[in-house]
Amino acid sequence: MTLTRRSALVTGSTSGIGLAIARALAREGANVMINGFGDAEEIAALCRDLAAEFGVEVDYDGADLSDPAAAAALVRTTQARFGSLDILVNNAGIQFVAPIEEFPAARWDAIIAINLSSVFHTMSAAIPSMKARGWGRIINVASAHGLVASPFKVAYVAAKHGVVGATKVAAIELANDGVTVNAICPGWVLTPLVERQLQDRARDAGTDVLTESGLMLAEKQPMHRFTSPESIGAMAVFLCSEAASTITGAPLSIDGGWVAQ
Ligand code: NAD
């Protein structure tokens, strides 16, 4: 257990990658604040199970990260609940796919607010106490789409490039404060976010999800397999370790070779 007595906030951790990161941090002994949407009873059970399995404290705050004040308040709530916030994982994200000329302005606003602006608001709220304590880890879940583009994802690609930029700025500002700031850039990970895209593609093409999974992987990744959410959890744990204490400002790809091309 390498993270005993550390406290973490993982945004968007009721599902997918965020849940896997929360589990991985809890397994290492960190207390964890869960955030995101979902069925209240299922989330309560998830918190109970995590706490029991790993012997840590787990709590839930359903703050809507499209609201700047709620994002900052989520940080303060976590600090009050656990006494500190040592590990901030900005993971919450949404997707929408359409050509630019058909992309609804409201979808652009929502994606920029949740995928990008919330990263600024939580970092801004969390940094002062991390600096004061001389230790912190900020991990922003960006994407291969933070480094390269694809058509029909204008808001997502713009937001994720923004996340990589904000990560670099924070890393430079905090370089001598014991706080590292990095961006994880996954390729395809089979989560509800990608399952929805696969279902849409299968519907539009008159095929099935399995066929579209193969095509989707082959279009982007030299390696034709999904990254598991657990692998991203393991990467987050490594970034919290002493061995990773000079890794900062880095966009770290875990993408089956997607951006190597
Ligand atoms: P997911 O849909 O399984 O999970 C998204 C989480 O964010 C959920 O917990 C959801 O409740 C939460 N969320 C959504 N809107 C929110 C809001 N307004 N306020 C608070 N929480 C909110 O998706 P995922 O695939 O696990 O994605 C997690 C992150 O990983 C996202 O930032 C996504 O862009 C990124 N990512 C995913 C992939 C992939 O292939 N799945 C690849 C690269 C990057």
Side-chain angles (χ1 to χ4, degrees), residues 94-108 110-111 115 145 149-157 188 192-204 216 219-220 258:
I94 58 169
Q95 177 62 284
F96 189 78
V97 181
I100 293 174
E101 67 273 26
E102 293 167 20
F103 209 95
R107 291 288 184 168
W108 166 274
I111 290 175
N115 296 21
H145 282 125
S150 295
F152 314 128
K153 296 185 173 177
V154 64
Y156 188 88
V157 170
W188 294 125
L193 183 139
V194 167
E195 280 161 13
R196 283 189 290 274
Q197 292 177 60
L198 287 169
Q199 283 156 9
D200 290 347
R201 284 175 59 129
R203 190 197 54 227
D204 293 347
M216 192 186 228
E219 274 167 19
K220 296 295 183 187
W258 182 325

Side-chain angles (χ1 to χ4, degrees), residues 64-88:
D64 179 347
L65 294 173
S66 64
D67 173 1
L74 174 60
V75 168
R76 288 194 297 272
T77 303
T78 309
Q79 290 165 333
R81 173 67 177 79
F82 298 132
S84 68
L85 171 54
D86 309 299
I87 300 163
L88 168 63

